[in-house]
Amino acid sequence: MKNVLILGATSGIAKALAYQFAGKKHNLLLAGRDVEEMKRIAQDIHIRHGVKVTVHPFDALDYDGHADFFTNCLETAGEIDGIVLAYGYLGDQRRAENEFAEARRVIETNYLSAVSVLNIAANYFESKKDGFLCVLSSVAGDRGRQSNFMYGSAKGGLSLYLQGLRNRLSKSGVHVLTVKPGFVDTKMTFGQSGMFLVAKPEQVAKAIDKMIQKRVDVAYTPFFWRYIMLIIKSVPERIFKRLSL
């Protein structure tokens, strides 16, 4: 039985992962801003699967509070065997182009806050010489597109950070998985135009669980997004900039 900390526990993929882990009898630490929603999820998971589920308030942008937050989680669980970072903020591209506050929120939520909390987690797992970090990046980080390059640039930076972190922690036996979901039916994407091949969160969660077990480095989910992004990345820049993507 493992103790898994899930950051951003009320997101669609995070909830599906929580039920997936609970089905394997892993204890869970749910972290996020919506404490009441997390309590509801925790109670339901405990009734269905009988595992221990605790709730922890977590503000991604409260950098100064991340160390105390992590210490509190360790005091609750005794030890942590794995962490899933599943929060993010899509933001409004047009608004971010005109209001720096929106651009800053997109970049800080998706990149800076992740670096802050993952640095702490990485040092813990490195000293323990065991554990896994599973972080949700995005296919949007593979190539800048005019429709969402604020979000994409933050996720692209996160993917590069994880690549370096994986190289560092491989010497300590710590697994770092970068997950790049395509379009998933969640609150973040609700009402978004131009979506296709939309996956269910439960489908994505099962794929992520398998990738953790296989210690995969980078996973596109569903798998065919790897090939879609290969095509998109191969389009010459002089052509790409004319496309309405």
Side-chain angles (χ1 to χ4, degrees), residues 27-225:
N27 294 321
L28 302 171
L29 299 91
L30 305 183
R33 290 184 302 175
D34 192 341
V35 173
E36 293 306 313
E37 174 65 5
M38 288 191 297
K39 286 180 179 178
R40 190 195 65 75
I41 296 169
Q43 184 177 23
D44 188 63
I45 290 175
H46 177 70
I47 291 171
R48 291 175 185 271
H49 298 287
V51 298
K52 182 179 179 182
V53 188
T54 55
V55 169
H56 304 265
F58 173 72
D59 184 346
L61 300 184
D62 179 18
Y63 308 125
D64 291 340
H66 286 177
D68 287 342
F69 159 78
F70 197 77
T71 299
N72 290 337
C73 289
L74 278 175
E75 288 176 351
T76 299
E79 66 174 358
I80 295 173
D81 301 289
I83 295 176
V84 176
L85 191 155
Y87 65 79
Y89 176 60
L90 184 60
D92 184 313
Q93 173 65 30
R94 288 297 181 193
R95 188 177 161 202
E97 291 173 9
N98 295 287
E99 299 177 20
F100 178 68
E102 176 71 356
R104 180 175 178 171
R105 184 182 173 193
V106 170
I107 293 166
E108 288 201 12
T109 304
N110 294 301
Y111 180 68
L112 282 179
S113 72
V115 171
S116 173
V117 72
L118 289 174
N119 277 351
I120 297 168
N123 292 338
Y124 168 72
F125 285 136
E126 188 173 45
S127 64
K128 188 181 172 188
K129 298 190 181 305
D130 191 21
F132 72 84
L133 289 167
C134 169
V135 182
L136 271 62
S137 185
S138 172
V139 296
D142 279 11
R143 186 161 193 181
R145 295 184 290 123
Q146 60 179 298
S147 61
N148 72 343
F149 63 84
M150 294 293 179
Y151 176 77
S153 64
K155 288 296 191 182
L158 177 60
S159 293
L160 278 178
Y161 167 85
L162 293 170
Q163 189 175 43
L165 189 63
R166 178 163 41 249
N167 292 348
R168 170 192 155 192
L169 295 181
S170 64
K171 300 174 182 64
S172 305
V174 180
H175 176 213
V176 178
L177 169 61
T178 304
V179 181
K180 298 185 177 183
F183 296 130
V184 183
D185 184 15
T186 64
K187 287 186 289 186
M188 179 184 282
T189 58
F190 180 77
Q192 292 288 317
S193 60
M195 292 179 52
F196 56 96
L197 298 174
V198 180
K200 295 292 185 185
E202 294 78 12
Q203 175 187 359
V204 171
K206 286 182 180 178
I208 291 173
D209 186 28
K210 286 183 180 177
M211 297 304 170
I212 293 173
Q213 301 309 312
K214 293 180 178 178
R215 297 180 70 87
V216 170
D217 294 327
V218 180
Y220 288 80
T221 180
F223 72 95
F224 48 76
W225 277 97

Side-chain angles (χ1 to χ4, degrees), residues 2-24:
K2 294 182 177 180
N3 297 319
V4 180
L5 168 61
I6 302 179
L7 302 167
T10 59
S11 74
I13 295 176
K15 281 197 290 187
L17 269 171
Y19 281 92
Q20 180 74 19
F21 290 144
K24 301 173 75 172

